[in-house]
Every structure is written in structure tokens, then in C-alpha cells.
Amino acid sequence: MQTIIKKISLVLLVVVMSFSAFAQEIEVKGKVYDAQDKTPLPGAVVIEKGATKGVITDINGEFSIKTEKGKILQFQFIGYKMKEVKVENEWLEIGMEQESDKLDEVVVVAFGRQKRESIIGSVTSVSASHLRVSRTDLGRMIAGRAPNTEEYQSFKENRFFPVAKQPLSTFSLDVDAASYGNVRRIINQGQMPYEDAVRIEEMINYFSYDYPQPNDGHPVRIVTETTVCPWNKKHQLLRIGVKAKEIPSEKLPASNFVFLIDVSGSMYDANKLPLVKSSMKLLVNNLRPQDRVSIVTYAGSAGEVLPSTSGVDKQKIMDAVESLSAGGSTAGGEGIQLAYKIAEKNFMKEGNNRVILCTDGDFNVGVSSTDGLESLIESKRKSGIFLTVLGYGMGNYKDDKLQTLAQKGNGNHAYIDNLQEANKVVVNEFGSNMHTVAKDVKIQVEFNPALVNAYRLIGYETRLLEEEDFNDDLKDAGELGPGHTVTALYEIVPVGVKAPAGGVDPLKYQSSEKEDAPRKFNNKSELLNVKLRYKNPDEDESRKLEVPVLANVVNKTASEDFNFIMAVAMFGQLLRDSDYKGDATYAKVVELARKGLGDDPNGYRREFIRLVESVEQLAK
């Protein structure tokens, strides 16, 4: 009997060993890309057919999943045909073909239904039941991590104002472009962006325009153009463009840079600290011998990783960057204080002094509230040190905090979601983003009530100023770097056209006869007057420019740049579901954008058209 039991046990052992060998897991890695243009597809879903395992490709379109040989992997990405591949090797290269009519639904693994603004990032592993969900749920995936906690500053869009009662409009210029990059990332994940993530002026100013150079000794120049409003033919649209003077890179002043890098645990993902390191290496390649770099990091506390080092010693700087790793809490306030202290220690009197902050904004130790950070950064503003804020990541991205730091700290703000965007920000636009030619730049427009019934400023809701602020040199405003182009749009209701603006009842306790009495306006040659104030970077007293806009220059045909600008503005209003979007449609956005393609050497405008076409499918 014992002999029989031993034989049975031996047979069972052989079977178990054979099954274990057969079912042994392997790690399969690979890359998912567009079969046509070979570009990587970040955010593509990779799942094991018939199982509960899944991953999402990283910013380079790469993935890693544990599975078994012989299993079937399914690859899915919104707008592309699903592809099934049998696992035979440990490296797979998957080319996916576009299929725009397959946008109604996608299969994903393990999603968390959250608020509309919920956005999730690069998921490394999921394990849950298969769910068939609508396109708006794409990207809302969780993998044993906290729910989405992205934060955006809430604001109401600008309304129409009657010129007779409010003839002046005043605001600070905004060169930030973070909103466009962030919105693009959300859309590429198959989601419609939360409306407060859409800041129309930043979407417009993401792109460069062919504005003429200053030629009168000022570092900035104003250009204007007026045409028929494309979403309301009864209205007019005014473009105010500002061009900052260009400076060749070899003539830029020497720089004292402090890289302030968030190395907390929240920066662990591939699209955070690893991308920060790649970005900083690109920036280091632009350094000259006269430039100097220090590196400060912060997690639970802040510390100096690299003392001030000459730009000639690029390898030493890159080694310091490469040594960084993520872990711990986020003492962002302490990091900011140390970075400014080191920048002041190495201050270049005739140079460019700048802190470059790289973070997801998820501060949680020490000074971490929006109000606290605002007070902290305002105290540093008078130091003569400028600030560049580079935002990274998704899922816990604190856009509101980074906006506050950039706006209150003599700074600018960009969002980086891939290496191509990093190259745009820190290489192609190095001079304009890392140097300053004019600070505290603000605009005031006076409308002529003889010709303009009402107006509204499109965008700039978080940059509005009081009328008196225009002549107040103590009031902070935006900064412009070499070569920057900045654009503002006004929608104008001509006299004789009813304005979509509310009125007020007659006063009960005061006579309103004086206010309601007809007023005579004799000047009918000028539509409006544009004034701009700026300060040189090392001065505290502002200078003023002034340009009238004539009434007889309303063009029926807009320039290429203006067509594209109107397309971006229309797109932003559709994304925000604006009360004033009129008869705007995504098809009209694409039509206008195609008219405004121009030269487009870097392909940014063509990318915009593809983005709009994707949203048009998502919105159906």
C-alpha cells in the first residue's frame, strides 16, 4: 500500500512540476506606436485576454507586463483598432492603425468613477474585473493608489461690459502656456478636460506668431488687427499682439540658475522625476561657460545637491541630476526658501538670476497651502530673482498652486508631459522662458462709446486688474522673455447691435437722470486705444506705450495668424461650454485652423488640428 502511495505521489509531483514549468510567468516588455508615423502612444491599454492583468504605456509608449508564453495580449488606444498578439518573445513592438469611427467605447481594466475633473496618469499594474466603459472614463484607472486629486483654480469667464458705464479694461499680460499642454494630455487620454483646466489665453499663447520686432528703442511692440467674429457675425474681434525683442543666445546675459527639484515620493512615476531629469539634461546642453547652476532638492526636507557650478562642467551637473531618486513627503515651501537663499548667495548683478522649479505641486509639509505659498513667493519677488515653474505628472497635479507661484513670483509656468514638450520649453524656447526683457507688463484698453456698445476680454480671468492698477508701479504683472509673442482678444459689440449684457433697475433713493442722460461722443475715427506699461528688468519705474486702433480698419479677411488664433479661442470656448460660444463648432475650428496653418515648421499647429478632430469624436 505504501509503495502505491509513493508512486501516486511521485506522479503528482511530476505533474505539478510540469504544470509549474509550463505556467511560469515571464516579464514581457515592449513599445506601442502609431503604425503610420511611428510616434509612440502613451496611455495605450495593454491587457491579458481573459485575465485580470493590465498596464498602460508610459510617456515613451513603453510597457512591462508579467504574463505567460502562449497567452494573448490585447492592445487598445482610443481612435485605433484593437490588436491581439500571442506572447512568444519577451520584447514586443506593436504598431497600431488608426480607426476614427471606433471612438464610442473602449475596453479598459479597473477604472474608478470620480468627479469630472478626475484625471489619472501612468498606471503600472491593475487587477480587477473587465469593464466596458464609455470614452469619458478612459484614463480614470487606479492601481492601488490614492484617488485622483488634481486641483485647478475655479474662475468665471469674462462677461460683456457696456462701454458707456465701463470704458476701461485692464489686465496683466500672461505668457504662460501650461494650460494647453495639460489640456492636450487630458484629451490624449480620451477624456474631456475639466473646464477650469482650460485657460484660453494660455492656449493661444502656447503658439508663436509672426509679429514685427520692436524698432523704437522699447523692448516690446504692440500690433493690432480687427475682423468679423467667426462665432457671431454681428460682432467684431480685436487682436492685440505684443512682441518682445529677440536676443541671440550668445548675447544673452550670464545666468545664475538654481534647479529646484521635487524628489518626494509622489514624483516616482516615469512622467515625473525621470522626465524631469531628461528635461534638465536638455537644458544643461544649452549652458555656456559664463552660466552657473546649483541644484536644490526637497522631499521631507530640503538640501543642496550641487553647489554653484560653471556651465562648462556639464558632465558634473548631469551626474548630479542623474543621481536623484524619489521618496518621502513634500516640503515644497522649505525647498523654495533654500533655492532663493542659494540664488541670492550667487547673485549676478548684471546677469539673469532664476530659480527653475520642477514639481507636480503636491506640497504637503510646512508651507503648503495656496495662500501660504502666495505669501512666501511674494516675499521673494523683490529679490531680483525670477522664477520658471515646470509642472509634471498627472493624477495629483496641483495646477492651482503652480499658477500661484508663477503669477506671484515674477515667473512663467509650463506643463511638460513628454520629452518633445521638454525640448520645446527648455531648448527651442530657452531664451524666452529662461530670461526676461520686460517685467510687470500690463495693458489697458479704452473703448470709444461712439462706436462700441459693449466688449468682453476672452481669457485672462485670473489676470484682471483694477483700473487704477495700470498706473501703479507697485502692482505686480507679467514678464516677457526675448522673442515672446503674447496675444489678447476682445469680442466687440458695435453700436446699434444689442449687447448680451444685463442692466440694472432705476435707483429708488437716488436720481438716475444724470447717468441716463444722452452723452455726445464726437470722435468716430478711433475704435479704441491700447496702452501698455512695462519695466526694464533692473528698474522699478514703468514706461508707457500707446497705440490707437482706427475704426476703418476692420478687415473682412483675417491674416493667417489671426485665423489660427480665432480657431484656438473658439476651441477653448467649446471646451468650457462658454455662454458666448455662439454658433461655434469643432468643424469651424478645424476650418479656421487650416486657414491659419502657415509655415508651421515644428508641426504644432497641425498637432492642434489633430487634437480638435479627436475631441470632435469624443464629444459625439
Side-chain angles (χ1 to χ4, degrees), residues 369-484:
S369 69
T370 301
D371 290 342
L373 290 168
E374 181 175 336
S375 298
L376 172 62
I377 206 68
E378 281 183 337
S379 69
K380 304 296 183 183
R381 194 166 61 209
K382 296 180 180 179
S383 64
I385 298 167
F386 293 89
L387 177 68
T388 291
V389 180
L390 303 181
Y392 292 81
M394 56 192 77
N396 65 328
Y397 185 62
K398 300 299 186 283
D399 179 87
D400 56 345
K401 288 184 172 64
L402 301 188
Q403 277 288 104
T404 296
L405 289 173
Q407 290 185 10
K408 302 298 182 180
N410 280 353
N412 50 52
H413 177 202
Y415 177 79
I416 296 177
D417 58 340
N418 55 53
L419 199 58
Q420 290 79 12
E421 187 66 13
N423 189 69
K424 176 182 185 291
V425 172
V426 304
V427 177
N428 296 344
E429 300 172 359
F430 174 82
S432 55
N433 287 326
M434 303 299 165
H435 292 261
T436 302
V437 296
K439 66 179 183 180
D440 293 340
V441 185
K442 43 196 171 183
I443 282 180
Q444 186 168 79
V445 180
E446 180 182 355
F447 293 89
N448 183 356
L451 298 171
V452 180
N453 184 15
Y455 66 88
R456 74 178 180 103
L457 175 62
I458 299 174
Y460 290 92
E461 285 87 355
T462 64
R463 293 282 190 161
L464 299 179
L465 299 173
E466 299 294 333
E467 295 174 4
E468 298 81 5
D469 292 338
F470 182 72
N471 291 322
D472 183 359
D473 281 352
L474 296 178
K475 189 67 179 180
D476 182 54
E479 280 65 47
L480 293 182
H484 256 146

Side-chain angles (χ1 to χ4, degrees), residues 137-196:
D137 286 315
L138 179 65
R140 297 180 181 181
M141 300 182 178
I142 53 175
R145 60 180 66 184
N148 179 275
T149 58
E150 294 199 8
E151 296 176 3
Y152 299 94
Q153 180 183 348
S154 180
F155 62 89
K156 293 181 179 180
E157 72 173 333
N158 292 325
R159 61 183 180 86
F160 281 95
F161 290 101
V163 176
K165 294 184 178 180
Q166 194 164 331
L168 295 176
S169 174
T170 312
F171 64 97
S172 163
L173 277 190
D174 184 3
V175 299
D176 295 348
S179 178
Y180 180 80
N182 191 34
V183 164
R184 179 186 59 200
R185 178 263 298 182
I186 297 169
I187 293 170
N188 283 336
Q189 289 180 315
Q191 294 178 237
M192 296 293 284
Y194 180 57
E195 67 178 31
D196 286 333

Side-chain angles (χ1 to χ4, degrees), residues 475-491:
K475 189 67 179 180
D476 182 54
E479 280 65 47
L480 293 182
H484 256 146
T485 58
V486 190
T487 303
L489 293 180
Y490 279 96
E491 185 174 350

